[in-house]
Structure formats: C-alpha cells, structure tokens
Amino acid sequence: DMLFTIVKCDYILWKLGGLTLLAMGIWVSVDGGSFLKLLGPFSGQGMQFVNVGFFCIAIGIVLVLLGLLGCCGAHKESKCLLLTFFSIILIIFIAEVAAGVVALAYSSFAEGILRAWATPALKNDYGSDPVVTKIWNTTMSELKCCGFTNYTDFVGSKFEKENGGSLPPSCCWTNSTPCSADEAERSSVQGCFEHILETLKEHANIVGGIAAGIGILEIAAMTVSMYLYCHLDNRVN
C-alpha cells in the first residue's frame, strides 16, 4: 500500500508540473504583457526568441498526459500502461542525453546542422516570409546580433536585392537604414549563434542544474514505474 501511495504521488507531481506549465503557457499567450512585467528586469532577455506561450502549453500537455498514463497504470495495476509510461520516458531521456552529447562533444556538428537550416532561411525567406522575418528580427533586436554567423548571411540574399543592397538595421551599430555591407563590415556585429553560445557559457551552472533536475526526475519516474511493474504480480497475489 505504501508503495502504491508513493507511485501515485510521483505521477501526481508530473500532472501538477504539466498543469502549471499549461496554465503559464495560456497566461503568456493571452496576456503576455502582464507576464513580462512580472519578470521585471528579465523581460528583455530574449523572451520572444521563441513563442514561450505555445512552448509551455505543448510541454504542459505532454506532462499531463504522461501523468495520467502513470496514474491509470498504477490505479488499474496495469503492467501494459506502466511499461508504456516507462518506454516513453526512456525514449525522451535517451533523446535528451543524445542531444546533450551532440551539443557538447560535437558542437561543430550541431553548428553545421543549425547553419544548414538558418543560412538558406536568411538567404531566401527573410523579408518575404513573415514568420521567418519576425523570428529573426526579434532575435537580432533582443540579442543585439546579426544573422547566424554575421552580416555575410545577408550578402546576396533576396532581402538585399529587394532593398537596394541594404541589410537589416541590426547588422550596423547605428541600427538604422540604410545599412550597407561596408557599414556592416565596419560595425562587426556578432552573429547570433556565437552570442547564444556565450550566453549559455555564462549561465552554464543554471543550464546544467535544470538539465540535472529534469534528468533526476525522469530517472526517478522510470525507476518507480519499473519497480512497480516487476512487483505487480506479488501485489496481485
């Protein structure tokens, strides 16, 4: 009985965490202004680089569903549901570890993958695709950076040709138009990828702590579900 109580509490924590993120995501999506005011000095730290609201909603839904799956498995004493829960968490855990290894040990490889996506988007879609344009404008404005590598990502681009050789204002220290390639070269504004890397290095302890906390939670969930799975026959008997 004590084991089942602990298991159910563990899955309830998953659901509570998911509901918290879900509520936060809805709040940010509906009333982002008041949310950013609550953050005070942190509100200008590139919060709009991704759509925080929808991201939190998505993660919250996943956590709620996983919590429900675990609770149903424990309540119904279903080995099938418990094994499904364990398998999903294991897949997520392996994917996170693999992503971490690639990012840390093969940073050049990870950079190549990101560059393969970012460079064509800047060359062909920036200025014409509203989604790509908004993401990059917000990123460059908030982080005070230019392009993925630097201003050369925009040289020869569709945006440059359609604007008479002018680059995005963020690529020049004056932050105004027109921003020519020569002016951008003299300004030497850092690329966004290098800026993000430096920011991550400066906050490595926080990033590492969050990653470790998530990993511990996932390992605990897998351990509890597998322990219950293995001892379910004894419980039934």
Side-chain angles (χ1 to χ4, degrees):
D1 291 337
M2 180 63 70
L3 173 61
F4 273 77
T5 301
I6 294 174
V7 170
K8 290 177 181 178
C9 287
D10 181 68
Y11 296 140
I12 288 173
L13 286 176
W14 277 80
K15 286 199 294 185
L16 288 176
L19 289 172
T20 301
L21 280 176
L22 186 59
M24 185 182 297
I26 294 173
W27 179 18
V28 173
S29 299
V30 174
D31 189 17
S34 63
F35 181 79
L36 291 177
K37 287 180 181 179
L38 179 66
L39 295 177
F42 296 101
S43 61
Q45 302 298 316
M47 282 291 295
Q48 298 176 356
F49 175 62
V50 294
N51 195 318
V52 179
F54 289 116
F55 180 75
C56 288
I57 290 173
I59 298 299
I61 291 174
V62 171
L63 289 179
V64 169
L65 291 177
L66 285 174
L68 287 173
L69 181 63
C71 279
C72 288
H75 180 71
K76 295 184 178 181
E77 300 180 2
S78 171
K79 298 181 72 173
C80 179
L81 291 178
L82 289 171
L83 186 59
T84 301
F85 176 84
F86 174 86
S87 301
I88 293 175
I89 299 298
L90 180 61
I91 292 172
I92 294 174
F93 182 75
I94 292 174
E96 290 172 347
V97 171
V101 170
V102 170
L104 294 175
Y106 302 99
S107 57
S108 59
F109 176 71
E111 180 181 356
I113 294 176
L114 292 173
R115 190 187 304 279
W117 164 81
T119 303
L122 292 172
K123 292 284 187 184
N124 304 319
D125 300 327
Y126 181 83
S128 57
D129 188 315
V131 176
V132 172
T133 304
K134 182 177 181 180
I135 290 175
W136 278 104
N137 279 343
T138 303
T139 302
M140 293 189 293
S141 175
E142 294 289 339
L143 301 182
K144 304 295 187 296
C145 58
C146 172
F148 183 83
T149 305
N150 52 34
Y151 77 95
T152 58
D153 291 334
F154 295 100
V155 175
S157 66
K158 183 178 179 180
F159 177 84
E160 184 190 31
K161 294 173 182 176
E162 292 179 349
N163 289 272
S166 179
L167 305 183
S170 299
C171 294
C172 294
W173 283 123
T174 56
N175 200 31
S176 61
T177 56
C179 174
S180 65
D182 292 336
E183 178 67 22
E185 184 178 8
R186 287 192 295 269
S187 298
S188 298
V189 177
Q190 189 180 42
C192 295
F193 181 76
E194 289 296 327
H195 185 94
I196 292 173
L197 279 183
E198 289 184 1
T199 302
L200 288 176
K201 289 177 181 178
E202 291 175 1
H203 300 85
N205 292 336
I206 298 176
V207 174
I210 294 174
I214 293 174
I216 291 172
L217 178 62
E218 290 171 342
I219 292 173
M222 288 188 292
T223 302
V224 170
S225 60
M226 185 50 61
Y227 182 83
L228 181 58
Y229 175 87
C230 294
H231 290 75
L232 199 54
D233 289 335
N234 295 334
R235 164 73 177 182
V236 173
N237 294 332

mmCIF file of all heavy atoms in Angstrom, residues 84-129:
data_model
loop_
_atom_site.group_PDB
_atom_site.id
_atom_site.type_symbol
_atom_site.label_atom_id
_atom_site.label_comp_id
_atom_site.label_asym_id
_atom_site.label_seq_id
_atom_site.Cartn_x
_atom_site.Cartn_y
_atom_site.Cartn_z
ATOM 1 N N THR A 84 4.314 1.138 -20.900
ATOM 2 C CA THR A 84 4.201 2.212 -21.890
ATOM 3 C C THR A 84 4.763 3.513 -21.332
ATOM 4 O O THR A 84 5.515 4.230 -22.006
ATOM 5 C CB THR A 84 2.732 2.417 -22.294
ATOM 6 O OG1 THR A 84 2.212 1.202 -22.841
ATOM 7 C CG2 THR A 84 2.606 3.524 -23.332
ATOM 8 N N PHE A 85 4.402 3.828 -20.079
ATOM 9 C CA PHE A 85 4.918 5.026 -19.414
ATOM 10 C C PHE A 85 6.438 4.980 -19.333
ATOM 11 O O PHE A 85 7.127 5.954 -19.671
ATOM 12 C CB PHE A 85 4.306 5.132 -18.009
ATOM 13 C CG PHE A 85 4.838 6.281 -17.201
ATOM 14 C CD1 PHE A 85 4.301 7.546 -17.335
ATOM 15 C CD2 PHE A 85 5.882 6.091 -16.298
ATOM 16 C CE1 PHE A 85 4.793 8.609 -16.594
ATOM 17 C CE2 PHE A 85 6.373 7.136 -15.559
ATOM 18 C CZ PHE A 85 5.824 8.398 -15.696
ATOM 19 N N PHE A 86 6.968 3.844 -18.885
ATOM 20 C CA PHE A 86 8.414 3.675 -18.770
ATOM 21 C C PHE A 86 9.086 3.864 -20.131
ATOM 22 O O PHE A 86 10.118 4.539 -20.232
ATOM 23 C CB PHE A 86 8.733 2.283 -18.212
ATOM 24 C CG PHE A 86 10.198 1.957 -18.196
ATOM 25 C CD1 PHE A 86 10.990 2.341 -17.125
ATOM 26 C CD2 PHE A 86 10.786 1.266 -19.246
ATOM 27 C CE1 PHE A 86 12.348 2.048 -17.108
ATOM 28 C CE2 PHE A 86 12.139 0.968 -19.234
ATOM 29 C CZ PHE A 86 12.923 1.356 -18.164
ATOM 30 N N SER A 87 8.511 3.285 -21.177
ATOM 31 C CA SER A 87 9.110 3.344 -22.516
ATOM 32 C C SER A 87 9.153 4.773 -23.042
ATOM 33 O O SER A 87 10.166 5.204 -23.621
ATOM 34 C CB SER A 87 8.333 2.454 -23.493
ATOM 35 O OG SER A 87 8.333 1.112 -23.056
ATOM 36 N N ILE A 88 8.067 5.519 -22.829
ATOM 37 C CA ILE A 88 8.017 6.903 -23.310
ATOM 38 C C ILE A 88 9.059 7.755 -22.597
ATOM 39 O O ILE A 88 9.792 8.532 -23.228
ATOM 40 C CB ILE A 88 6.606 7.488 -23.112
ATOM 41 C CG1 ILE A 88 5.607 6.764 -24.019
ATOM 42 C CG2 ILE A 88 6.595 8.982 -23.408
ATOM 43 C CD1 ILE A 88 4.171 7.184 -23.796
ATOM 44 N N ILE A 89 9.129 7.636 -21.265
ATOM 45 C CA ILE A 89 10.113 8.410 -20.502
ATOM 46 C C ILE A 89 11.531 8.017 -20.913
ATOM 47 O O ILE A 89 12.420 8.871 -21.034
ATOM 48 C CB ILE A 89 9.925 8.191 -18.980
ATOM 49 C CG1 ILE A 89 8.535 8.660 -18.551
ATOM 50 C CG2 ILE A 89 10.988 8.953 -18.194
ATOM 51 C CD1 ILE A 89 8.282 10.127 -18.781
ATOM 52 N N LEU A 90 11.757 6.720 -21.147
ATOM 53 C CA LEU A 90 13.083 6.259 -21.559
ATOM 54 C C LEU A 90 13.477 6.856 -22.907
ATOM 55 O O LEU A 90 14.623 7.292 -23.087
ATOM 56 C CB LEU A 90 13.095 4.732 -21.634
ATOM 57 C CG LEU A 90 14.434 4.095 -22.058
ATOM 58 C CD1 LEU A 90 15.538 4.438 -21.062
ATOM 59 C CD2 LEU A 90 14.279 2.576 -22.186
ATOM 60 N N ILE A 91 12.536 6.891 -23.839
ATOM 61 C CA ILE A 91 12.817 7.475 -25.159
ATOM 62 C C ILE A 91 13.157 8.958 -25.039
ATOM 63 O O ILE A 91 14.113 9.449 -25.651
ATOM 64 C CB ILE A 91 11.606 7.271 -26.099
ATOM 65 C CG1 ILE A 91 11.448 5.790 -26.436
ATOM 66 C CG2 ILE A 91 11.777 8.094 -27.383
ATOM 67 C CD1 ILE A 91 10.171 5.468 -27.191
ATOM 68 N N ILE A 92 12.377 9.672 -24.217
ATOM 69 C CA ILE A 92 12.643 11.099 -24.001
ATOM 70 C C ILE A 92 14.015 11.293 -23.361
ATOM 71 O O ILE A 92 14.786 12.173 -23.767
ATOM 72 C CB ILE A 92 11.547 11.721 -23.118
ATOM 73 C CG1 ILE A 92 10.199 11.708 -23.846
ATOM 74 C CG2 ILE A 92 11.916 13.151 -22.716
ATOM 75 C CD1 ILE A 92 9.032 12.164 -23.004
ATOM 76 N N PHE A 93 14.325 10.456 -22.369
ATOM 77 C CA PHE A 93 15.606 10.560 -21.665
ATOM 78 C C PHE A 93 16.774 10.308 -22.622
ATOM 79 O O PHE A 93 17.766 11.055 -22.618
ATOM 80 C CB PHE A 93 15.639 9.558 -20.507
ATOM 81 C CG PHE A 93 16.899 9.605 -19.689
ATOM 82 C CD1 PHE A 93 17.117 10.635 -18.793
ATOM 83 C CD2 PHE A 93 17.868 8.623 -19.831
ATOM 84 C CE1 PHE A 93 18.284 10.678 -18.040
ATOM 85 C CE2 PHE A 93 19.034 8.660 -19.084
ATOM 86 C CZ PHE A 93 19.237 9.697 -18.183
ATOM 87 N N ILE A 94 16.676 9.263 -23.433
ATOM 88 C CA ILE A 94 17.735 8.942 -24.387
ATOM 89 C C ILE A 94 17.914 10.076 -25.400
ATOM 90 O O ILE A 94 19.045 10.453 -25.741
ATOM 91 C CB ILE A 94 17.438 7.617 -25.111
ATOM 92 C CG1 ILE A 94 17.525 6.447 -24.122
ATOM 93 C CG2 ILE A 94 18.405 7.394 -26.274
ATOM 94 C CD1 ILE A 94 17.101 5.115 -24.711
ATOM 95 N N ALA A 95 16.796 10.635 -25.863
ATOM 96 C CA ALA A 95 16.863 11.744 -26.824
ATOM 97 C C ALA A 95 17.548 12.959 -26.209
ATOM 98 O O ALA A 95 18.367 13.624 -26.869
ATOM 99 C CB ALA A 95 15.456 12.105 -27.289
ATOM 100 N N GLU A 96 17.249 13.250 -24.944
ATOM 101 C CA GLU A 96 17.875 14.388 -24.268
ATOM 102 C C GLU A 96 19.371 14.167 -24.084
ATOM 103 O O GLU A 96 20.178 15.076 -24.297
ATOM 104 C CB GLU A 96 17.204 14.615 -22.915
ATOM 105 C CG GLU A 96 15.786 15.146 -23.020
ATOM 106 C CD GLU A 96 15.071 15.173 -21.688
ATOM 107 O OE1 GLU A 96 15.582 14.545 -20.726
ATOM 108 O OE2 GLU A 96 14.006 15.791 -21.602
ATOM 109 N N VAL A 97 19.746 12.948 -23.673
ATOM 110 C CA VAL A 97 21.166 12.634 -23.497
ATOM 111 C C VAL A 97 21.908 12.730 -24.829
ATOM 112 O O VAL A 97 23.002 13.296 -24.913
ATOM 113 C CB VAL A 97 21.344 11.224 -22.890
ATOM 114 C CG1 VAL A 97 22.808 10.814 -22.910
ATOM 115 C CG2 VAL A 97 20.806 11.186 -21.467
ATOM 116 N N ALA A 98 21.288 12.181 -25.886
ATOM 117 C CA ALA A 98 21.912 12.227 -27.212
ATOM 118 C C ALA A 98 22.090 13.667 -27.681
ATOM 119 O O ALA A 98 23.150 14.035 -28.217
ATOM 120 C CB ALA A 98 21.061 11.448 -28.216
ATOM 121 N N ALA A 99 21.066 14.502 -27.465
ATOM 122 C CA ALA A 99 21.158 15.910 -27.853
ATOM 123 C C ALA A 99 22.249 16.622 -27.064
ATOM 124 O O ALA A 99 23.002 17.439 -27.616
ATOM 125 C CB ALA A 99 19.811 16.597 -27.630
ATOM 126 N N GLY A 100 22.363 16.296 -25.756
ATOM 127 C CA GLY A 100 23.402 16.895 -24.929
ATOM 128 C C GLY A 100 24.793 16.491 -25.374
ATOM 129 O O GLY A 100 25.714 17.320 -25.422
ATOM 130 N N VAL A 101 24.960 15.212 -25.700
ATOM 131 C CA VAL A 101 26.270 14.726 -26.166
ATOM 132 C C VAL A 101 26.665 15.404 -27.473
ATOM 133 O O VAL A 101 27.804 15.845 -27.651
ATOM 134 C CB VAL A 101 26.238 13.194 -26.342
ATOM 135 C CG1 VAL A 101 27.502 12.709 -27.057
ATOM 136 C CG2 VAL A 101 26.118 12.514 -24.984
ATOM 137 N N VAL A 102 25.705 15.503 -28.391
ATOM 138 C CA VAL A 102 25.984 16.155 -29.678
ATOM 139 C C VAL A 102 26.343 17.623 -29.467
ATOM 140 O O VAL A 102 27.283 18.138 -30.083
ATOM 141 C CB VAL A 102 24.760 16.035 -30.623
ATOM 142 C CG1 VAL A 102 24.938 16.920 -31.851
ATOM 143 C CG2 VAL A 102 24.571 14.591 -31.052
ATOM 144 N N ALA A 103 25.598 18.291 -28.580
ATOM 145 C CA ALA A 103 25.833 19.715 -28.352
ATOM 146 C C ALA A 103 27.178 19.977 -27.681
ATOM 147 O O ALA A 103 27.866 20.953 -27.998
ATOM 148 C CB ALA A 103 24.707 20.300 -27.505
ATOM 149 N N LEU A 104 27.571 19.079 -26.749
ATOM 150 C CA LEU A 104 28.807 19.299 -26.005
ATOM 151 C C LEU A 104 30.041 18.746 -26.714
ATOM 152 O O LEU A 104 31.054 19.436 -26.848
ATOM 153 C CB LEU A 104 28.684 18.667 -24.611
ATOM 154 C CG LEU A 104 27.646 19.290 -23.678
ATOM 155 C CD1 LEU A 104 27.556 18.497 -22.387
ATOM 156 C CD2 LEU A 104 27.985 20.742 -23.386
ATOM 157 N N ALA A 105 29.956 17.500 -27.159
ATOM 158 C CA ALA A 105 31.123 16.843 -27.749
ATOM 159 C C ALA A 105 31.263 17.123 -29.239
ATOM 160 O O ALA A 105 32.365 17.059 -29.783
ATOM 161 C CB ALA A 105 31.037 15.329 -27.513
ATOM 162 N N TYR A 106 30.167 17.413 -29.895
ATOM 163 C CA TYR A 106 30.208 17.643 -31.334
ATOM 164 C C TYR A 106 29.559 18.981 -31.655
ATOM 165 O O TYR A 106 28.637 19.061 -32.460
ATOM 166 C CB TYR A 106 29.496 16.517 -32.077
ATOM 167 C CG TYR A 106 30.073 15.151 -31.805
ATOM 168 C CD1 TYR A 106 29.473 14.306 -30.869
ATOM 169 C CD2 TYR A 106 31.220 14.714 -32.457
ATOM 170 C CE1 TYR A 106 29.998 13.043 -30.603
ATOM 171 C CE2 TYR A 106 31.754 13.464 -32.190
ATOM 172 C CZ TYR A 106 31.134 12.637 -31.271
ATOM 173 O OH TYR A 106 31.662 11.399 -31.001
ATOM 174 N N SER A 107 30.049 20.024 -31.000
ATOM 175 C CA SER A 107 29.452 21.343 -31.183
ATOM 176 C C SER A 107 29.548 21.809 -32.628
ATOM 177 O O SER A 107 28.652 22.479 -33.145
ATOM 178 C CB SER A 107 30.126 22.366 -30.259
ATOM 179 O OG SER A 107 31.522 22.403 -30.493
ATOM 180 N N SER A 108 30.640 21.457 -33.307
ATOM 181 C CA SER A 108 30.789 21.853 -34.709
ATOM 182 C C SER A 108 29.744 21.149 -35.572
ATOM 183 O O SER A 108 29.215 21.717 -36.533
ATOM 184 C CB SER A 108 32.189 21.522 -35.218
ATOM 185 O OG SER A 108 32.453 20.134 -35.098
ATOM 186 N N PHE A 109 29.446 19.875 -35.225
ATOM 187 C CA PHE A 109 28.424 19.131 -35.959
ATOM 188 C C PHE A 109 27.051 19.766 -35.737
ATOM 189 O O PHE A 109 26.263 19.936 -36.678
ATOM 190 C CB PHE A 109 28.417 17.672 -35.490
ATOM 191 C CG PHE A 109 27.335 16.822 -36.102
ATOM 192 C CD1 PHE A 109 27.392 16.458 -37.424
ATOM 193 C CD2 PHE A 109 26.252 16.406 -35.333
ATOM 194 C CE1 PHE A 109 26.382 15.682 -37.997
ATOM 195 C CE2 PHE A 109 25.251 15.625 -35.891
ATOM 196 C CZ PHE A 109 25.319 15.270 -37.231
ATOM 197 N N ALA A 110 26.761 20.117 -34.475
ATOM 198 C CA ALA A 110 25.487 20.774 -34.158
ATOM 199 C C ALA A 110 25.396 22.121 -34.859
ATOM 200 O O ALA A 110 24.326 22.493 -35.374
ATOM 201 C CB ALA A 110 25.361 20.950 -32.640
ATOM 202 N N GLU A 111 26.514 22.848 -34.903
ATOM 203 C CA GLU A 111 26.518 24.135 -35.592
ATOM 204 C C GLU A 111 26.234 23.954 -37.081
ATOM 205 O O GLU A 111 25.522 24.743 -37.695
ATOM 206 C CB GLU A 111 27.873 24.821 -35.408
ATOM 207 C CG GLU A 111 27.963 26.172 -36.097
ATOM 208 C CD GLU A 111 29.327 26.826 -35.927
ATOM 209 O OE1 GLU A 111 30.163 26.250 -35.205
ATOM 210 O OE2 GLU A 111 29.535 27.888 -36.522
ATOM 211 N N GLY A 112 26.797 22.886 -37.659
ATOM 212 C CA GLY A 112 26.573 22.614 -39.076
ATOM 213 C C GLY A 112 25.110 22.348 -39.381
ATOM 214 O O GLY A 112 24.579 22.807 -40.393
ATOM 215 N N ILE A 113 24.440 21.598 -38.471
ATOM 216 C CA ILE A 113 23.017 21.312 -38.661
ATOM 217 C C ILE A 113 22.201 22.602 -38.591
ATOM 218 O O ILE A 113 21.324 22.857 -39.431
ATOM 219 C CB ILE A 113 22.525 20.305 -37.602
ATOM 220 C CG1 ILE A 113 23.190 18.941 -37.808
ATOM 221 C CG2 ILE A 113 21.005 20.160 -37.665
ATOM 222 C CD1 ILE A 113 22.831 17.928 -36.761
ATOM 223 N N LEU A 114 22.496 23.435 -37.584
ATOM 224 C CA LEU A 114 21.775 24.701 -37.447
ATOM 225 C C LEU A 114 22.055 25.635 -38.620
ATOM 226 O O LEU A 114 21.153 26.314 -39.121
ATOM 227 C CB LEU A 114 22.168 25.382 -36.129
ATOM 228 C CG LEU A 114 21.703 24.692 -34.854
ATOM 229 C CD1 LEU A 114 22.292 25.376 -33.633
ATOM 230 C CD2 LEU A 114 20.182 24.690 -34.775
ATOM 231 N N ARG A 115 23.311 25.648 -39.061
ATOM 232 C CA ARG A 115 23.672 26.514 -40.175
ATOM 233 C C ARG A 115 22.945 26.082 -41.459
ATOM 234 O O ARG A 115 22.535 26.918 -42.270
ATOM 235 C CB ARG A 115 25.190 26.490 -40.399
ATOM 236 C CG ARG A 115 25.678 27.550 -41.380
ATOM 237 C CD ARG A 115 27.169 27.355 -41.672
ATOM 238 N NE ARG A 115 27.952 27.379 -40.447
ATOM 239 C CZ ARG A 115 28.338 28.480 -39.828
ATOM 240 N NH1 ARG A 115 27.988 29.656 -40.338
ATOM 241 N NH2 ARG A 115 29.056 28.423 -38.726
ATOM 242 N N ALA A 116 22.807 24.751 -41.642
ATOM 243 C CA ALA A 116 22.131 24.236 -42.832
ATOM 244 C C ALA A 116 20.673 24.676 -42.883
ATOM 245 O O ALA A 116 20.086 24.795 -43.959
ATOM 246 C CB ALA A 116 22.218 22.710 -42.859
ATOM 247 N N TRP A 117 20.078 24.923 -41.701
ATOM 248 C CA TRP A 117 18.707 25.425 -41.656
ATOM 249 C C TRP A 117 18.664 26.944 -41.731
ATOM 250 O O TRP A 117 17.859 27.522 -42.477
ATOM 251 C CB TRP A 117 18.017 24.975 -40.370
ATOM 252 C CG TRP A 117 16.759 25.763 -40.092
ATOM 253 C CD1 TRP A 117 15.528 25.574 -40.638
ATOM 254 C CD2 TRP A 117 16.628 26.907 -39.224
ATOM 255 N NE1 TRP A 117 14.638 26.516 -40.167
ATOM 256 C CE2 TRP A 117 15.293 27.341 -39.307
ATOM 257 C CE3 TRP A 117 17.525 27.598 -38.407
ATOM 258 C CZ2 TRP A 117 14.825 28.437 -38.574
ATOM 259 C CZ3 TRP A 117 17.062 28.680 -37.685
ATOM 260 C CH2 TRP A 117 15.722 29.083 -37.769
ATOM 261 N N ALA A 118 19.540 27.608 -40.981
ATOM 262 C CA ALA A 118 19.454 29.061 -40.838
ATOM 263 C C ALA A 118 19.894 29.812 -42.087
ATOM 264 O O ALA A 118 19.223 30.771 -42.499
ATOM 265 C CB ALA A 118 20.300 29.510 -39.642
ATOM 266 N N THR A 119 20.992 29.407 -42.707
ATOM 267 C CA THR A 119 21.527 30.156 -43.841
ATOM 268 C C THR A 119 20.558 30.230 -45.016
ATOM 269 O O THR A 119 20.302 31.330 -45.539
ATOM 270 C CB THR A 119 22.875 29.558 -44.293
ATOM 271 O OG1 THR A 119 23.779 29.555 -43.178
ATOM 272 C CG2 THR A 119 23.470 30.373 -45.430
ATOM 273 N N PRO A 120 19.981 29.095 -45.476
ATOM 274 C CA PRO A 120 19.000 29.198 -46.569
ATOM 275 C C PRO A 120 17.784 30.044 -46.193
ATOM 276 O O PRO A 120 17.234 30.753 -47.048
ATOM 277 C CB PRO A 120 18.599 27.741 -46.821
ATOM 278 C CG PRO A 120 19.732 26.932 -46.301
ATOM 279 C CD PRO A 120 20.239 27.684 -45.128
ATOM 280 N N ALA A 121 17.375 29.972 -44.925
ATOM 281 C CA ALA A 121 16.218 30.763 -44.491
ATOM 282 C C ALA A 121 16.520 32.249 -44.585
ATOM 283 O O ALA A 121 15.677 33.042 -45.023
ATOM 284 C CB ALA A 121 15.840 30.382 -43.057
ATOM 285 N N LEU A 122 17.734 32.652 -44.198
ATOM 286 C CA LEU A 122 18.122 34.055 -44.269
ATOM 287 C C LEU A 122 18.310 34.501 -45.716
ATOM 288 O O LEU A 122 17.965 35.633 -46.083
ATOM 289 C CB LEU A 122 19.406 34.295 -43.473
ATOM 290 C CG LEU A 122 19.296 34.135 -41.955
ATOM 291 C CD1 LEU A 122 20.666 34.214 -41.302
ATOM 292 C CD2 LEU A 122 18.370 35.199 -41.371
ATOM 293 N N LYS A 123 18.850 33.642 -46.535
ATOM 294 C CA LYS A 123 19.108 33.979 -47.931
ATOM 295 C C LYS A 123 17.822 34.104 -48.740
ATOM 296 O O LYS A 123 17.689 35.002 -49.580
ATOM 297 C CB LYS A 123 20.006 32.917 -48.574
ATOM 298 C CG LYS A 123 21.434 32.865 -48.052
ATOM 299 C CD LYS A 123 22.270 33.998 -48.582
ATOM 300 C CE LYS A 123 23.738 33.818 -48.180
ATOM 301 N NZ LYS A 123 24.565 34.980 -48.620
ATOM 302 N N ASN A 124 16.889 33.194 -48.503
ATOM 303 C CA ASN A 124 15.730 33.083 -49.392
ATOM 304 C C ASN A 124 14.407 33.556 -48.792
ATOM 305 O O ASN A 124 13.529 34.002 -49.532
ATOM 306 C CB ASN A 124 15.560 31.624 -49.841
ATOM 307 C CG ASN A 124 16.816 31.077 -50.496
ATOM 308 O OD1 ASN A 124 17.472 31.771 -51.277
ATOM 309 N ND2 ASN A 124 17.159 29.831 -50.180
ATOM 310 N N ASP A 125 14.248 33.443 -47.469
ATOM 311 C CA ASP A 125 12.942 33.688 -46.855
ATOM 312 C C ASP A 125 12.862 34.966 -46.032
ATOM 313 O O ASP A 125 11.766 35.482 -45.810
ATOM 314 C CB ASP A 125 12.544 32.503 -45.971
ATOM 315 C CG ASP A 125 12.454 31.207 -46.762
ATOM 316 O OD1 ASP A 125 12.077 31.264 -47.943
ATOM 317 O OD2 ASP A 125 12.780 30.142 -46.206
ATOM 318 N N TYR A 126 14.014 35.458 -45.551
ATOM 319 C CA TYR A 126 13.985 36.661 -44.718
ATOM 320 C C TYR A 126 13.486 37.847 -45.541
ATOM 321 O O TYR A 126 13.976 38.120 -46.637
ATOM 322 C CB TYR A 126 15.371 36.974 -44.160
ATOM 323 C CG TYR A 126 15.390 38.196 -43.269
ATOM 324 C CD1 TYR A 126 15.040 38.110 -41.938
ATOM 325 C CD2 TYR A 126 15.727 39.447 -43.783
ATOM 326 C CE1 TYR A 126 15.041 39.229 -41.120
ATOM 327 C CE2 TYR A 126 15.733 40.573 -42.979
ATOM 328 C CZ TYR A 126 15.388 40.456 -41.647
ATOM 329 O OH TYR A 126 15.380 41.580 -40.849
ATOM 330 N N GLY A 127 12.492 38.533 -45.014
ATOM 331 C CA GLY A 127 11.924 39.688 -45.706
ATOM 332 C C GLY A 127 10.681 39.357 -46.488
ATOM 333 O O GLY A 127 9.860 40.247 -46.766
ATOM 334 N N SER A 128 10.503 38.081 -46.855
ATOM 335 C CA SER A 128 9.316 37.688 -47.620
ATOM 336 C C SER A 128 8.391 36.777 -46.806
ATOM 337 O O SER A 128 7.173 36.872 -46.908
ATOM 338 C CB SER A 128 9.727 36.972 -48.917
ATOM 339 O OG SER A 128 10.538 35.842 -48.640
ATOM 340 N N ASP A 129 8.979 35.891 -46.007
ATOM 341 C CA ASP A 129 8.198 35.019 -45.136
ATOM 342 C C ASP A 129 7.994 35.732 -43.799
ATOM 343 O O ASP A 129 8.962 35.981 -43.074
ATOM 344 C CB ASP A 129 8.928 33.689 -44.926
ATOM 345 C CG ASP A 129 8.075 32.674 -44.177
ATOM 346 O OD1 ASP A 129 7.443 33.043 -43.172
ATOM 347 O OD2 ASP A 129 8.076 31.494 -44.578
#
